[in-house]
Amino acid sequence: MNSHATPSLPIDFQRIASSQLLEVVHKAPKAELHIHIEGSLEPELIFEMAARNGVALSYPSVQALRAAYAFTDLQSFLDVYYAGASVLQTEQDFHDMAWAYLSRAAAEGVVCAELFFDPQTHTERGIPMAVVIQGLKSACDRAQREWGLRAELILCFLRHLSEEAALQTLQDALPFREHFVGVGLDSSEKGHPPEKFARVFARAGDLGLHRVAHAGEEGPAAYIRTALDLLKVERIDHGVRCTEDPELVRRLARDGTPLTVCPLSNIKLCVFPDMGSHNLPQLLDAGLMVTVNSDDPAYFGGYLNENYSALLQAHPGLGARHAWQLLHNSLVSSFAPSDLKHAWLQRLDEHFARAALA
Ligand code: ADE
Ligand code: ZN
């Protein structure tokens, strides 16, 4: 597989002016494949839920909480993110959080969202698995009904916890097996290599679940290799550090392995000093199946379209052809059935063809 696709219609990309491009991208059909639903919890909703659930927060106001969103690395973010998630208690809370995100996503042209959730963040606080999954799932079903937005769940294991805990989590989720399409691996990367989770990923594979993992965000390129070889993942979340291993880059390009890159996240967590230094253009040039995603939009200063905007504005060398490629990659890399993907890809091409004629 190669990621340099050709549109199904003739599209004269040169005719799409750079002044028009952001609007074209914002209105285009697209998929979001790397969004932690707990990372979409806005401070206003955190305060509302804290009040209704009687949870004490260590910040006096929404403004004070938002002011604390100055991160130096992944761990400094995770500490705040787990504290924020502690307000989630009831099925209604999980529903409301996911519904807020999905409503926004629908307005941004998202036709397919594959949502990560971290059950251990909640079950460790005594929240039943049923509350978490049923609350999220009811919002996903509602998004399909009300917006025609396909929303699926991916259950993530926290890599700072043990593999035994991950195995137990998977077991506890089995009564809800039909409510999630895959498993992922997130949280503190350094010091927690993929191989720590080989058995639980093998078990997930036996259950017919899709497999993805965060690798090469802060951790080394070697973690991308072990995620592929030992966890048998189909996509790599982040993966930006693959460029430290040219042979790995060739392998990812040859296999068409999707990388779910999150530009604003990478700047907020100091993976790159600024957007102009982000290596996404280099990844695209290497023929990788790169996609753009928001990661934790409530914490990183932007939802999906803001990620596209920030990236395209900081890299004027990325034009309409590249933007189309990123959108195309997002749809191709989803876990949706191929007939749906083809219909979305056709809509994407028609959208760009129309823009080129305008
Ligand atoms: N959990 C939420 N966001 C994450 C990220 N960017 N990396 C690892 N774990 C996460
Ligand atoms: Zn992530």
Side-chain angles (χ1 to χ4, degrees), residues 55-75:
V55 175
L57 291 171
S58 34
Y59 297 91
S61 65
V62 164
Q63 292 72 16
L65 177 57
R66 213 173 239 122
Y69 294 178
F71 312 116
T72 50
D73 59 8
L74 176 57
Q75 194 58 52

Side-chain angles (χ1 to χ4, degrees), residues 291-327:
T291 66
V292 170
N293 304 274
S294 71
D295 208 5
D296 300 283
Y299 293 91
F300 298 152
Y303 284 75
L304 186 52
N305 280 342
E306 283 158 303
N307 274 271
Y308 279 101
S309 295
L311 178 77
L312 295 171
Q313 281 166 334
H315 293 275
L318 295 179
R321 184 79 170 73
H322 299 100
W324 172 86
Q325 181 77 63
L326 290 165
L327 294 157

Side-chain angles (χ1 to χ4, degrees), residues 34-36 74 77 81 116 185-187 214 217 237-238 260 262 265 294-296 300:
H34 185 160
I35 157 82
H36 300 263
L74 176 57
F77 155 68
Y81 162 86
F116 295 148
L185 187 62
D186 64 5
S187 191
H214 283 55
E217 177 187 16
D237 296 314
H238 293 293
T260 63
C262 306
S265 163
S294 71
D295 208 5
D296 300 283
F300 298 152

Side-chain angles (χ1 to χ4, degrees), residues 195-330:
E195 46 268 40
K196 184 175 158 188
F197 296 93
R199 286 180 307 152
V200 72
F201 269 67
R203 171 109 176 88
D206 291 343
L207 290 164
L209 288 158
H210 289 290
R211 286 169 280 185
V212 300
H214 283 55
E217 177 187 16
E218 275 193 348
Y223 284 14
I224 300 175
R225 280 188 181 277
T226 46
L228 293 169
D229 293 336
L230 302 177
L231 305 189
K232 312 274 185 231
V233 298
E234 296 155 76
R235 299 194 299 240
I236 295 287
D237 296 314
H238 293 293
V240 292
R241 286 190 59 188
C242 68
T243 47
E244 293 165 19
D245 180 344
E247 169 52 34
L248 173 63
V249 172
R250 283 192 289 277
R251 173 183 177 181
L252 292 166
R254 187 193 64 223
D255 296 346
T257 307
L259 300 186
T260 63
V261 176
C262 306
L264 286 172
S265 163
N266 291 155
I267 308 314
K268 269 291 207 179
L269 301 188
C270 308
V271 174
F272 298 98
D274 52 51
M275 196 58 85
S277 317
H278 199 289
N279 70 357
L280 190 143
Q282 188 191 337
L283 301 173
L284 266 183
D285 274 354
L288 298 180
M289 182 66 86
V290 185
T291 66
V292 170
N293 304 274
S294 71
D295 208 5
D296 300 283
Y299 293 91
F300 298 152
Y303 284 75
L304 186 52
N305 280 342
E306 283 158 303
N307 274 271
Y308 279 101
S309 295
L311 178 77
L312 295 171
Q313 281 166 334
H315 293 275
L318 295 179
R321 184 79 170 73
H322 299 100
W324 172 86
Q325 181 77 63
L326 290 165
L327 294 157
H328 177 95
N329 290 354
S330 76

Side-chain angles (χ1 to χ4, degrees), residues 134-152:
Q134 286 169 187
L136 297 175
K137 178 66 179 159
S138 66
C140 293
D141 292 346
R142 188 174 163 199
Q144 180 69 59
R145 279 196 312 276
E146 292 195 22
W147 310 109
L149 194 173
R150 179 183 172 88
E152 301 286 1

